[in-house]
Amino acid sequence: EDYEQPSVAVDLLVFTIEEAALKLVMIRREEKRFQNKLALPGVFVNIRESLEEAAYRGIEEETGLTDIYLEQLYTWGDLERDPRMRIISVSYMALVPIHKIHLSKGKRTTQVSLYPVEELLAEETEIAFDHKKMIACARERIKNKTEYTDVAFAFLPEEFTLPQLQRIYEILLGNKYKTSAGERSEEHTSEL
């Protein structure tokens, strides 16, 4: 009782690859603050649930996605990050193959869609709260993890070709690679 009690939320960054681009699940808010603006899916943490439980509840409530792997990304605590009140947010990140993405509009949203990450990070794109910072942080984390882990495989179906894997690496790292037969063919460019 001697201390103020901030609210705690979770914000969710669900990435996939579609049409040769890294994309992110985004919602349009139905609620007053930032109404109809793009935002990451997210929810407040209930008093009797863990951060992880809230993250899974939030992703299902706002996007309809279930049974996906979430990884904690970062904790956001800037004093003015939310104009409503003092809210600390813990962001979670998921990497999902496109064939597992079946979006459905959830509670407190007017729309749920996939958006290219590069478009979201463009200066002119308006995004609610500090979610653009979260997206930039997650994008950098994915790029870094691609260099020292097998994170690229998270975007692939169970069976895939080596050109598909190469294309995933190119998208995540922002590089084009030559195959032993020379330049990649157009056939492989459009696969993902």
Side-chain angles (χ1 to χ4, degrees):
E1 291 181 9
D2 293 339
Y3 301 98
E4 291 184 74
Q5 296 181 3
S7 293
V8 178
V10 291
D11 287 303
L12 307 154
L13 297 105
V14 180
F15 292 92
T16 194
I17 292 181
E18 180 186 52
E19 299 168 354
L22 183 64
K23 293 189 176 180
L24 186 60
V25 174
M26 298 291 286
I27 62 163
R28 289 213 179 262
R29 290 177 51 82
E30 186 176 75
E31 297 174 316
K32 284 284 185 204
R33 288 293 181 167
F34 298 107
Q35 190 171 26
N36 293 317
K37 295 287 184 199
L38 283 175
L40 293 168
V43 295
F44 285 101
V45 178
N46 292 329
I47 197 73
R48 300 212 186 287
E49 74 181 339
S50 69
L51 291 170
E52 189 173 277
E53 289 168 340
Y56 282 108
R57 174 177 59 81
I59 202 66
E60 184 174 2
E61 281 181 10
E62 296 211 337
T63 68
L65 292 171
T66 58
D67 299 323
I68 62 172
Y69 169 79
L70 291 172
E71 170 185 323
Q72 195 173 113
L73 175 65
Y74 193 78
T75 302
W76 305 85
D78 289 348
L79 295 175
E80 304 298 323
R81 64 167 303 275
D82 192 314
R84 297 172 293 185
M85 63 182 119
R86 177 76 165 110
I87 298 174
I88 296 167
S89 180
V90 180
S91 54
Y92 281 80
M93 178 174 79
L95 311 177
V96 182
I98 189 63
H99 70 275
K100 289 190 176 180
I101 300 279
H102 305 285
L103 300 175
S104 61
K105 182 177 74 73
K107 298 176 180 176
R108 303 173 306 279
T109 64
T110 60
Q111 176 190 3
V112 60
S113 300
L114 291 172
Y115 287 85
V117 170
E118 299 312 315
E119 180 183 310
L120 293 170
L121 292 175
E123 190 176 320
E124 64 275 3
T125 305
E126 286 186 52
I127 299 177
F129 308 106
D130 55 354
H131 292 181
K132 191 177 279 200
K133 285 183 185 178
M134 291 182 190
I135 295 167
C137 177
R139 175 66 182 101
E140 190 64 23
R141 173 79 56 89
I142 291 169
K143 187 174 182 179
N144 290 338
K145 285 184 83 162
T146 300
E147 293 178 355
Y148 67 89
T149 71
D150 63 356
V151 71
F153 288 85
F155 294 105
L156 290 164
E158 202 169 299
E159 293 185 21
F160 58 89
T161 66
L162 288 177
Q164 285 176 311
L165 178 61
Q166 177 179 331
R167 187 63 184 131
I168 295 292
Y169 272 93
E170 290 174 344
I171 291 165
L172 298 179
L173 294 172
N175 297 326
K176 298 277 188 218
Y177 298 101
K178 290 184 179 181
T179 63
S180 59
E183 289 292 329
R184 289 185 311 109
S185 71
E186 287 302 311
E187 173 188 341
H188 295 133
T189 304
S190 61
E191 282 185 11
L192 290 171

